[in-house]
Coordinates of all heavy atoms in Angstrom, one line a residue:
M234 N 16.5 -170.4 37.8 CA 16.0 -171.4 36.7 C 15.9 -170.6 35.4 O 16.4 -171.1 34.4 CB 14.7 -171.9 37.2 CG 14.3 -173.2 36.5 SD 12.7 -173.8 37.2 CE 13.2 -174.5 38.6
T235 N 15.4 -169.5 35.5 CA 15.4 -168.6 34.2 C 16.7 -168.3 33.6 O 16.9 -168.4 32.5 CB 14.5 -167.3 34.6 OG1 13.2 -167.6 35.1 CG2 14.4 -166.5 33.2
Y236 N 17.6 -167.8 34.5 CA 19.0 -167.6 34.0 C 19.7 -168.8 33.4 O 20.4 -168.7 32.5 CB 19.8 -166.9 35.2 CG 19.4 -165.5 35.5 CD1 19.0 -165.1 36.7 CD2 19.5 -164.6 34.5 CE1 18.6 -163.7 37.0 CE2 19.1 -163.2 34.7 CZ 18.7 -162.9 35.9 OH 18.3 -161.5 36.3
W237 N 19.4 -169.9 34.1 CA 20.0 -171.2 33.6 C 19.5 -171.5 32.3 O 20.4 -171.8 31.3 CB 19.6 -172.3 34.6 CG 19.9 -173.7 34.2 CD1 21.1 -174.3 33.9 CD2 18.9 -174.8 34.1 NE1 21.0 -175.5 33.5 CE2 19.7 -176.0 33.6 CE3 17.6 -174.9 34.3 CZ2 19.1 -177.1 33.4 CZ3 16.9 -176.1 34.0 CH2 17.8 -177.3 33.7
A238 N 18.2 -171.3 32.0 CA 17.6 -171.7 30.7 C 18.1 -170.6 29.6 O 18.5 -170.9 28.5 CB 16.1 -171.7 30.8
A239 N 18.3 -169.4 30.1 CA 18.6 -168.3 29.2 C 20.0 -168.4 28.8 O 20.4 -168.2 27.6 CB 18.3 -166.8 29.8
S240 N 20.8 -168.8 29.7 CA 22.2 -168.9 29.5 C 22.6 -170.1 28.5 O 23.3 -170.0 27.6 CB 23.0 -169.1 30.9 OG 24.1 -170.1 30.7
K241 N 21.8 -171.3 28.7 CA 21.9 -172.3 27.8 C 21.4 -171.9 26.3 O 21.9 -172.3 25.3 CB 21.1 -173.5 28.2 CG 21.5 -174.8 27.7 CD 21.0 -176.0 28.5 CE 21.2 -177.3 27.6 NZ 20.5 -178.4 28.2
A242 N 20.3 -171.1 26.3 CA 19.7 -170.6 24.9 C 20.8 -169.7 24.3 O 20.9 -169.9 23.1 CB 18.5 -169.9 25.2
D243 N 21.5 -168.9 25.1 CA 22.4 -168.0 24.5 C 23.6 -168.8 24.0 O 24.3 -168.3 23.0 CB 23.1 -167.2 25.6 CG 22.2 -166.0 25.9 OD1 21.2 -165.7 25.2 OD2 22.4 -165.3 27.0
S244 N 23.8 -170.1 24.4 CA 24.9 -170.9 23.8 C 24.5 -171.5 22.5 O 25.2 -172.2 21.8 CB 25.4 -171.9 24.8 OG 24.4 -173.0 24.9
G245 N 23.2 -171.3 22.1 CA 22.7 -171.9 20.8 C 22.1 -173.2 21.0 O 21.6 -173.8 20.0
A246 N 22.0 -173.8 22.2 CA 21.3 -175.1 22.4 C 19.8 -174.9 22.5 O 19.2 -173.9 22.8 CB 21.9 -175.7 23.8
R247 N 19.1 -176.0 22.2 CA 17.7 -176.1 22.5 C 17.4 -176.1 23.9 O 18.2 -176.9 24.6 CB 17.0 -177.3 21.8 CG 17.0 -177.1 20.1 CD 16.1 -178.2 19.6 NE 14.7 -178.0 20.0 CZ 13.8 -177.2 19.3 NH1 14.2 -176.7 18.2 NH2 12.6 -177.1 19.8
V248 N 16.3 -175.4 24.3 CA 16.1 -175.3 25.8 C 14.7 -175.6 26.1 O 14.1 -174.9 27.0 CB 16.6 -174.0 26.3 CG1 18.0 -173.9 26.4 CG2 15.9 -172.8 25.6
D249 N 14.0 -176.4 25.3 CA 12.6 -176.7 25.5 C 12.3 -177.1 26.9 O 11.4 -176.5 27.5 CB 12.1 -177.9 24.5 CG 12.6 -177.7 23.2 OD1 13.8 -177.7 22.8 OD2 11.7 -177.6 22.2
A250 N 13.0 -178.0 27.5 CA 12.7 -178.5 28.9 C 13.1 -177.4 29.9 O 12.4 -177.3 30.8 CB 13.5 -179.8 29.1
E251 N 14.3 -176.8 29.7 CA 14.7 -175.8 30.7 C 13.8 -174.6 30.7 O 13.4 -174.2 31.9 CB 16.1 -175.3 30.4 CG 17.2 -176.4 30.4 CD 17.3 -177.2 29.2 OE1 16.5 -177.3 28.3 OE2 18.3 -177.9 29.1
A252 N 13.3 -174.2 29.6 CA 12.4 -173.1 29.5 C 11.0 -173.5 30.1 O 10.5 -172.7 30.8 CB 12.2 -172.6 28.1
G253 N 10.7 -174.7 29.9 CA 9.4 -175.3 30.3 C 9.5 -175.3 31.8 O 8.5 -175.1 32.5
M254 N 10.6 -175.7 32.4 CA 10.7 -175.8 33.9 C 10.5 -174.5 34.5 O 9.9 -174.3 35.4 CB 12.1 -176.4 34.3 CG 12.3 -177.9 34.0 SD 14.0 -178.4 34.3 CE 14.0 -180.0 33.9
A255 N 11.2 -173.5 33.9 CA 11.1 -172.1 34.4 C 9.7 -171.5 34.4 O 9.3 -171.0 35.3 CB 12.0 -171.2 33.7
T256 N 9.0 -171.7 33.2 CA 7.7 -171.1 33.1 C 6.7 -171.9 33.9 O 5.7 -171.4 34.4 CB 7.2 -171.1 31.6 OG1 7.3 -172.5 31.0 CG2 8.1 -170.1 30.7
Y257 N 6.9 -173.2 34.0 CA 6.0 -174.0 34.8 C 6.2 -173.7 36.3 O 5.1 -173.4 37.0 CB 6.4 -175.6 34.6 CG 5.5 -176.4 35.6 CD1 4.2 -176.8 35.2 CD2 6.1 -177.0 36.7 CE1 3.5 -177.6 36.2 CE2 5.4 -177.8 37.5 CZ 4.1 -178.1 37.2 OH 3.4 -178.9 38.2
F258 N 7.3 -173.5 36.8 CA 7.5 -173.3 38.2 C 7.0 -171.8 38.5 O 6.2 -171.6 39.5 CB 9.0 -173.4 38.6 CG 9.4 -173.0 40.1 CD1 9.1 -174.0 41.0 CD2 9.8 -171.8 40.4 CE1 9.3 -173.8 42.3 CE2 10.1 -171.6 41.7 CZ 9.9 -172.4 42.7
A259 N 7.4 -170.9 37.7 CA 6.9 -169.5 37.9 C 5.5 -169.3 37.9 O 4.9 -168.7 38.7 CB 7.6 -168.6 36.9
S260 N 4.8 -169.9 36.8 CA 3.4 -169.8 36.8 C 2.6 -170.4 37.8 O 1.6 -169.9 38.4 CB 2.9 -170.2 35.4 OG 3.2 -171.6 35.1
E261 N 3.0 -171.7 38.2 CA 2.3 -172.4 39.3 C 2.6 -171.6 40.6 O 1.7 -171.5 41.5 CB 2.8 -173.8 39.5 CG 2.4 -174.7 38.3 CD 1.0 -175.0 38.2 OE1 0.3 -175.0 39.3 OE2 0.5 -175.2 37.1
T262 N 3.7 -171.0 40.9 CA 4.0 -170.2 42.1 C 3.1 -169.0 42.0 O 2.6 -168.6 43.0 CB 5.5 -169.8 42.1 OG1 6.3 -171.0 42.1 CG2 5.8 -169.0 43.4
A263 N 3.0 -168.4 40.9 CA 2.1 -167.1 40.9 C 0.6 -167.4 41.2 O 0.0 -166.6 41.8 CB 2.2 -166.6 39.3
I264 N 0.2 -168.6 40.7 CA -1.2 -169.0 41.0 C -1.4 -169.2 42.5 O -2.3 -168.7 43.2 CB -1.6 -170.3 40.2 CG1 -1.7 -169.9 38.7 CG2 -2.8 -170.8 40.7 CD1 -1.9 -171.2 37.9
T265 N -0.4 -170.0 43.1 CA -0.5 -170.3 44.6 C -0.4 -169.0 45.3 O -1.1 -168.7 46.3 CB 0.7 -171.2 45.0 OG1 0.6 -172.4 44.2 CG2 0.7 -171.5 46.4
A266 N 0.7 -168.1 45.0 CA 0.8 -166.9 45.7 C -0.3 -165.9 45.6 O -0.7 -165.3 46.6 CB 2.2 -166.1 45.2
S267 N -0.9 -165.8 44.5 CA -2.0 -164.9 44.3 C -3.2 -165.4 45.0 O -4.1 -164.6 45.6 CB -2.3 -164.6 42.8 OG -2.7 -165.8 42.1
L268 N -3.4 -166.7 45.1 CA -4.5 -167.2 45.8 C -4.3 -167.0 47.3 O -5.2 -166.6 48.0 CB -4.6 -168.8 45.5 CG -5.7 -169.5 46.4 CD1 -7.1 -168.9 46.2 CD2 -5.8 -171.0 46.0
E269 N -3.1 -167.2 47.8 CA -2.9 -166.9 49.2 C -3.1 -165.5 49.5 O -3.5 -165.1 50.6 CB -1.4 -167.3 49.6 CG -1.2 -168.9 49.8 CD -2.2 -169.4 50.9 OE1 -2.0 -168.8 52.1 OE2 -2.9 -170.3 50.6
A270 N -2.6 -164.6 48.7 CA -2.8 -163.1 48.9 C -4.3 -162.8 49.0 O -4.7 -162.0 49.9 CB -2.2 -162.3 47.8
M271 N -5.1 -163.4 48.1 CA -6.6 -163.2 48.3 C -7.1 -163.6 49.5 O -7.9 -162.9 50.1 CB -7.2 -163.9 47.1 CG -7.2 -163.4 45.7 SD -8.1 -161.9 45.6 CE -9.8 -162.5 45.4
R272 N -6.7 -164.8 50.0 CA -7.1 -165.3 51.2 C -6.8 -164.4 52.4 O -7.5 -164.1 53.3 CB -6.5 -166.7 51.6 CG -7.2 -167.8 50.7 CD -6.6 -169.1 51.1 NE -7.3 -170.2 50.5 CZ -6.7 -171.3 50.0 NH1 -5.4 -171.5 50.0 NH2 -7.5 -172.3 49.5
V273 N -5.5 -163.9 52.4 CA -4.9 -163.0 53.5 C -5.7 -161.7 53.6 O -6.1 -161.2 54.6 CB -3.4 -162.9 53.4 CG1 -2.9 -161.8 54.2 CG2 -2.7 -164.2 53.6
H274 N -5.9 -161.2 52.3 CA -6.3 -159.8 52.3 C -7.9 -159.8 52.2 O -8.5 -158.6 52.5 CB -5.9 -158.9 51.2 CG -4.4 -158.6 51.3 ND1 -3.4 -159.5 51.1 CD2 -3.9 -157.5 51.6 CE1 -2.2 -158.9 51.4 NE2 -2.5 -157.7 51.6
G275 N -8.5 -161.0 51.9 CA -10.1 -160.8 51.9 C -10.6 -159.7 51.1 O -10.2 -159.4 49.9
G276 N -11.5 -159.0 51.7 CA -12.3 -157.9 51.2 C -11.4 -156.8 50.7 O -11.8 -155.9 50.0
Y277 N -10.3 -156.7 51.3 CA -9.3 -155.5 51.0 C -8.4 -155.9 49.7 O -7.8 -154.9 49.4 CB -8.3 -155.4 52.2 CG -9.1 -154.9 53.4 CD1 -9.4 -155.8 54.4 CD2 -9.6 -153.6 53.6 CE1 -10.0 -155.4 55.6 CE2 -10.3 -153.3 54.7 CZ -10.5 -154.1 55.7 OH -11.1 -153.7 56.8
A278 N -8.6 -157.0 49.1 CA -7.9 -157.4 47.9 C -8.1 -156.3 46.8 O -7.2 -156.1 46.0 CB -8.2 -158.7 47.4
S279 N -9.3 -155.8 46.7 CA -9.7 -154.9 45.7 C -9.0 -153.5 45.8 O -8.9 -152.7 44.8 CB -11.2 -154.6 45.6 OG -11.7 -154.2 46.7
E280 N -8.4 -153.2 47.0 CA -7.8 -151.9 47.2 C -6.3 -152.0 46.8 O -5.6 -150.9 46.6 CB -7.8 -151.5 48.7 CG -9.1 -151.3 49.3 CD -9.2 -150.9 50.6 OE1 -8.2 -150.5 51.2 OE2 -10.2 -151.1 51.3
F281 N -5.8 -153.2 46.5 CA -4.4 -153.4 46.0 C -4.5 -154.0 44.6 O -5.6 -154.1 44.0 CB -3.6 -154.2 46.9 CG -3.7 -153.7 48.4 CD1 -4.5 -154.3 49.3 CD2 -2.9 -152.7 48.8 CE1 -4.6 -153.8 50.6 CE2 -2.9 -152.2 50.1 CZ -3.8 -152.7 51.0
N282 N -3.5 -154.5 44.1 CA -3.5 -155.1 42.8 C -3.7 -156.6 42.9 O -3.6 -157.3 41.9 CB -2.1 -154.9 42.0 CG -2.1 -153.6 41.4 OD1 -3.0 -153.1 40.9 ND2 -1.0 -152.9 41.3
I283 N -4.0 -157.1 44.0 CA -4.2 -158.5 44.3 C -5.3 -159.2 43.4 O -5.0 -160.2 42.9 CB -4.4 -158.8 45.8 CG1 -3.2 -158.4 46.6 CG2 -4.7 -160.3 46.1 CD1 -3.4 -158.3 48.1
E284 N -6.4 -158.6 43.2 CA -7.5 -159.1 42.4 C -6.9 -159.2 41.0 O -7.2 -160.3 40.3 CB -8.6 -158.3 42.5 CG -9.5 -158.4 43.7 CD -10.8 -157.6 43.6 OE1 -11.0 -156.9 42.5 OE2 -11.6 -157.8 44.4
R285 N -6.2 -158.3 40.6 CA -5.7 -158.4 39.2 C -4.6 -159.6 39.0 O -4.7 -160.3 38.0 CB -5.0 -157.1 38.7 CG -4.5 -157.2 37.3 CD -3.8 -156.0 36.8 NE -3.2 -156.3 35.7 CZ -2.3 -155.5 35.0 NH1 -1.9 -154.4 35.5 NH2 -1.8 -156.0 33.9
Y286 N -3.8 -159.7 40.0 CA -2.8 -160.8 40.0 C -3.5 -162.2 40.0 O -3.2 -163.1 39.3 CB -1.9 -160.8 41.2 CG -1.0 -159.6 41.2 CD1 -0.6 -159.0 42.4 CD2 -0.6 -158.9 40.1 CE1 0.1 -157.8 42.5 CE2 0.2 -157.7 40.1 CZ 0.5 -157.2 41.4 OH 1.3 -156.1 41.3
Y287 N -4.6 -162.3 40.8 CA -5.4 -163.5 40.9 C -6.0 -163.8 39.6 O -6.2 -165.0 39.2 CB -6.4 -163.3 42.1 CG -7.3 -164.4 42.3 CD1 -6.7 -165.6 43.0 CD2 -8.7 -164.5 42.0 CE1 -7.6 -166.7 43.1 CE2 -9.5 -165.5 42.3 CZ -9.0 -166.7 42.9 OH -9.8 -167.7 43.2
R288 N -6.5 -162.8 38.9 CA -7.1 -163.1 37.6 C -6.1 -163.3 36.5 O -6.3 -164.3 35.6 CB -8.0 -161.8 37.1 CG -9.2 -161.6 37.9 CD -10.1 -160.5 37.2 NE -9.4 -159.3 36.9 CZ -9.5 -158.4 37.8 NH1 -10.2 -158.5 38.9 NH2 -8.8 -157.2 37.6
D289 N -4.9 -162.7 36.6 CA -3.9 -162.9 35.5 C -3.1 -164.2 35.7 O -2.7 -164.8 34.6 CB -3.0 -161.7 35.6 CG -3.6 -160.4 35.0 OD1 -4.7 -160.5 34.5 OD2 -3.0 -159.3 35.0
A290 N -2.9 -164.6 36.9 CA -2.0 -165.7 37.1 C -2.4 -166.9 36.3 O -1.5 -167.6 35.6 CB -1.8 -165.9 38.5
P291 N -3.6 -167.4 36.2 CA -3.9 -168.6 35.6 C -3.6 -168.6 34.0 O -3.2 -169.7 33.4 CB -5.5 -168.7 35.7 CG -5.8 -168.0 37.0 CD -4.8 -166.8 37.0
L292 N -3.6 -167.4 33.3 CA -3.3 -167.3 32.0 C -1.9 -167.8 31.7 O -1.5 -168.4 30.7 CB -3.5 -165.9 31.5 CG -3.1 -165.7 30.0 CD1 -3.8 -166.6 29.1 CD2 -3.3 -164.3 29.6
M293 N -0.9 -167.5 32.7 CA 0.4 -167.9 32.6 C 0.6 -169.4 32.6 O 1.7 -169.8 32.1 CB 1.3 -167.3 33.7 CG 1.2 -165.8 33.9 SD 1.8 -165.0 32.5 CE 0.4 -164.1 32.0
S294 N -0.4 -170.1 33.0 CA -0.4 -171.6 33.0 C -1.0 -172.2 31.8 O -1.0 -173.3 31.6 CB -1.0 -172.2 34.3 OG -2.4 -172.0 34.2
I295 N -1.5 -171.3 31.0 CA -2.3 -171.7 29.7 C -1.6 -171.3 28.4 O -1.3 -172.1 27.5 CB -3.8 -171.2 29.8 CG1 -4.5 -171.7 31.0 CG2 -4.5 -171.6 28.4 CD1 -5.8 -171.1 31.2
G296 N -1.3 -169.9 28.3 CA -0.8 -169.4 27.1 C 0.5 -169.9 26.8 O 1.3 -170.2 27.7
E297 N 0.8 -169.9 25.4 CA 2.2 -170.3 24.9 C 2.6 -171.7 25.4 O 3.7 -172.0 25.6 CB 3.2 -169.3 25.4 CG 3.0 -167.9 24.8 CD 3.3 -167.7 23.4 OE1 4.0 -168.4 22.8 OE2 2.6 -166.8 22.8
G298 N 1.6 -172.5 25.5 CA 1.8 -174.0 25.9 C 1.3 -174.2 27.4 O 1.9 -173.5 28.3
T299 N 0.3 -174.9 27.5 CA -0.1 -175.2 28.9 C 0.7 -175.9 29.8 O 1.7 -176.6 29.2 CB -1.5 -176.0 28.8 OG1 -1.2 -177.4 28.4 CG2 -2.6 -175.4 27.9
N300 N 0.6 -175.8 31.1 CA 1.5 -176.5 31.9 C 1.4 -178.1 31.9 O 2.4 -178.7 32.2 CB 1.2 -176.0 33.4 CG 1.9 -174.6 33.7 OD1 2.4 -174.1 32.8 ND2 1.7 -174.3 35.0
D301 N 0.3 -178.5 31.4 CA 0.2 -180.0 31.1 C 1.2 -180.4 30.1 O 1.9 -181.3 30.2 CB -1.3 -180.4 30.7 CG -2.3 -179.9 31.5 OD1 -2.3 -180.2 32.7 OD2 -3.2 -179.2 31.1
I302 N 1.2 -179.6 29.0 CA 2.2 -179.8 28.0 C 3.6 -179.6 28.4 O 4.6 -180.4 28.1 CB 1.9 -178.9 26.8 CG1 0.5 -179.1 26.2 CG2 3.0 -179.1 25.7 CD1 0.3 -180.5 25.6
M303 N 3.9 -178.6 29.3 CA 5.2 -178.4 29.9 C 5.7 -179.5 30.6 O 6.8 -179.9 30.5 CB 5.1 -177.1 30.8 CG 5.0 -175.8 30.1 SD 6.2 -175.5 28.8 CE 5.3 -174.3 27.9
R304 N 4.8 -180.1 31.4 CA 5.1 -181.4 32.2 C 5.5 -182.5 31.4 O 6.4 -183.2 31.6 CB 4.0 -181.8 33.2 CG 3.8 -181.0 34.4 CD 2.9 -181.7 35.5 NE 1.5 -181.6 34.9 CZ 0.8 -180.7 35.4 NH1 1.0 -179.7 36.2 NH2 -0.6 -180.7 35.0
T305 N 4.8 -182.6 30.2 CA 5.2 -183.6 29.2 C 6.5 -183.4 28.6 O 7.3 -184.2 28.5 CB 4.0 -183.7 28.1 OG1 2.8 -183.9 28.8 CG2 4.3 -184.9 27.1
V306 N 6.8 -182.1 28.3 CA 8.0 -181.9 27.6 C 9.1 -182.1 28.6 O 10.2 -182.6 28.3 CB 8.0 -180.4 27.2 CG1 9.5 -179.9 26.9 CG2 7.1 -180.1 25.9
I307 N 9.0 -181.6 29.9 CA 10.0 -181.8 31.0 C 10.3 -183.3 31.2 O 11.4 -183.8 31.3 CB 9.6 -181.1 32.2 CG1 9.5 -179.6 32.0 CG2 10.6 -181.5 33.4 CD1 8.7 -178.9 33.1
A308 N 9.1 -184.1 31.3 CA 9.3 -185.5 31.6 C 10.1 -186.3 30.5 O 10.9 -187.1 30.8 CB 8.0 -186.1 31.8
K309 N 9.7 -185.9 29.2 CA 10.4 -186.6 28.1 C 11.9 -186.3 28.1 O 12.8 -187.2 27.9 CB 9.8 -186.1 26.8 CG 8.5 -186.7 26.4 CD 8.0 -186.3 25.0 CE 6.7 -187.0 24.7 NZ 6.0 -186.3 23.5
A310 N 12.3 -185.0 28.4 CA 13.7 -184.6 28.5 C 14.4 -185.3 29.7 O 15.6 -185.8 29.5 CB 13.8 -183.1 28.6
L311 N 13.8 -185.4 30.8 CA 14.4 -186.1 32.0 C 14.6 -187.6 31.6 O 15.6 -188.3 32.0 CB 13.6 -185.9 33.2 CG 13.5 -184.5 33.7 CD1 12.5 -184.4 34.9 CD2 14.9 -184.1 34.2
V312 N 13.6 -188.3 31.0 CA 13.7 -189.7 30.7 C 14.7 -190.0 29.7 O 15.4 -191.0 29.8 CB 12.2 -190.2 30.3 CG1 12.3 -191.6 29.7 CG2 11.3 -190.2 31.5
S313 N 14.7 -189.1 28.6 CA 15.7 -189.3 27.6 C 17.1 -188.9 28.0 O 18.1 -189.5 27.4 CB 15.4 -188.5 26.3 OG 15.7 -187.1 26.6
G314 N 17.3 -188.3 29.1 CA 18.6 -187.9 29.6 C 19.2 -186.7 29.0 O 20.3 -186.3 29.3
S315 N 18.4 -186.0 28.2 CA 18.9 -184.8 27.6 C 19.1 -183.6 28.7 O 19.8 -182.6 28.3 CB 18.1 -184.3 26.3 OG 16.8 -183.9 26.9
V316 N 18.3 -183.7 29.7 CA 18.5 -182.8 30.9 C 18.8 -183.7 32.0 O 18.0 -184.6 32.4 CB 17.3 -182.0 31.1 CG1 17.4 -181.2 32.4 CG2 16.9 -181.1 29.9
P317 N 20.0 -183.4 32.6 CA 20.3 -184.3 33.8 C 19.4 -184.1 35.0 O 18.9 -183.1 35.3 CB 21.7 -183.8 34.2 CG 21.9 -182.5 33.6 CD 21.0 -182.4 32.4
V318 N 19.1 -185.2 35.7 CA 18.2 -185.2 36.9 C 19.1 -184.8 38.1 O 20.1 -185.4 38.3 CB 17.5 -186.6 37.1 CG1 16.7 -186.5 38.4 CG2 16.7 -187.1 35.9
G319 N 18.7 -183.8 38.8 CA 19.4 -183.5 40.0 C 20.6 -182.6 39.8 O 21.0 -182.2 38.7
Ligands
FAD271 C1 -7.2 -165.9 28.1 C2 -6.6 -166.6 27.1 C3 -5.7 -165.8 26.2 C4 -5.0 -166.4 25.1 N1 -4.3 -165.6 24.3 C5 -3.5 -166.1 23.4 C6 -2.7 -165.3 22.5 O1 -2.6 -164.1 22.7 N2 -2.0 -165.9 21.5 C7 -2.0 -167.3 21.3 O2 -1.4 -167.7 20.5 N3 -2.8 -168.0 22.1 C8 -3.6 -167.5 23.1 N4 -4.4 -168.3 23.9 C9 -4.6 -169.7 23.5 C10 -3.7 -170.6 24.3 O3 -2.4 -170.6 23.9 C11 -4.4 -172.0 24.1 O4 -5.5 -172.0 24.7 C12 -3.5 -173.1 24.7 O5 -2.2 -173.3 23.9 C13 -4.2 -174.4 24.8 O6 -4.5 -174.8 23.5 P1 -6.2 -175.3 23.3 O7 -7.0 -174.3 23.7 O8 -6.2 -175.7 21.8 O9 -6.2 -176.5 24.2 P2 -6.0 -178.1 23.9 O10 -4.7 -178.3 23.2 O11 -7.2 -178.6 23.2 O12 -6.0 -178.7 25.4 C14 -7.1 -178.7 26.2 C15 -6.6 -179.3 27.5 O13 -6.0 -180.5 27.3 C16 -4.6 -180.5 27.8 N5 -3.8 -181.3 26.9 C17 -3.7 -181.3 25.5 N6 -2.8 -182.1 25.0 C18 -2.3 -182.7 26.0 C19 -1.2 -183.7 26.2 N7 -0.7 -184.3 25.2 N8 -1.0 -184.2 27.4 C20 -1.5 -183.7 28.5 N9 -2.5 -182.7 28.4 C21 -2.9 -182.3 27.2 C22 -4.2 -179.1 27.8 O14 -3.1 -178.8 28.7 C23 -5.5 -178.4 28.2 O15 -5.7 -178.4 29.6 C24 -5.1 -167.7 24.9 C25 -5.9 -168.6 25.8 C26 -6.5 -168.0 26.9 C27 -7.4 -168.9 27.8

């Protein structure tokens, strides 16, 4: 998804929705994965970098445009047809 957005950006096109899709998917996955890692490792999470990932991941869904805004940008692009569905 990231390479798809980057490749389109390299061609000079606007990639608001494509970049939004990549950052939205990656940041939500980071939140889910770091939470699962905390659950799996429990008290041992502090011995690895898991606690740090768990703290850092939510920022990825807020900074440089929240994921709520990303969803709005993506939805507008899909409805307008500027990004093909499927
Ligand atoms: C730890 C941390 C570090 C940060 N560091 C930086 C930094 O280094 N540089 C920088 O520039 N900024 C930084 N920010 C600021 C961050 O980019 C903003 O917090 C973010 O863009 C949201 O803006 P806001 O706080 O004004 O929230 P608002 O725009 O007031 O939004 C509040 C809530 O409403 C939602 N919302 C707003 N409008 C809509 C809409 N139209 N549709 C649906 N939902 C909507 C938002 O998603 C959010 O959940 C940081 C924030 C945090 C928490």
Side-chain angles (χ1 to χ4, degrees):
M234 204 178 280
T235 301
Y236 285 123
W237 170 59
S240 147
K241 200 166 167 187
D243 281 347
S244 75
R247 287 197 62 92
V248 291
D249 311 59
E251 293 86 344
M254 288 175 184
T256 57
Y257 174 77
F258 182 77
S260 57
E261 291 295 329
T262 301
I264 290 171
T265 303
S267 61
L268 175 58
E269 279 303 303
M271 283 290 283
R272 285 180 171 145
V273 168
H274 287 80
Y277 296 101
S279 58
E280 293 181 20
F281 306 98
N282 279 328
I283 294 166
E284 281 187 353
R285 181 182 171 193
Y286 299 145
Y287 182 69
R288 288 194 302 271
D289 287 354
L292 175 58
M293 301 301 123
S294 71
I295 298 170
E297 301 287 337
T299 67
N300 279 0
D301 307 303
I302 299 298
M303 292 302 159
R304 278 196 291 266
T305 303
V306 169
I307 294 163
K309 279 182 181 167
L311 293 175
V312 169
S313 74
S315 64
V316 172
V318 179

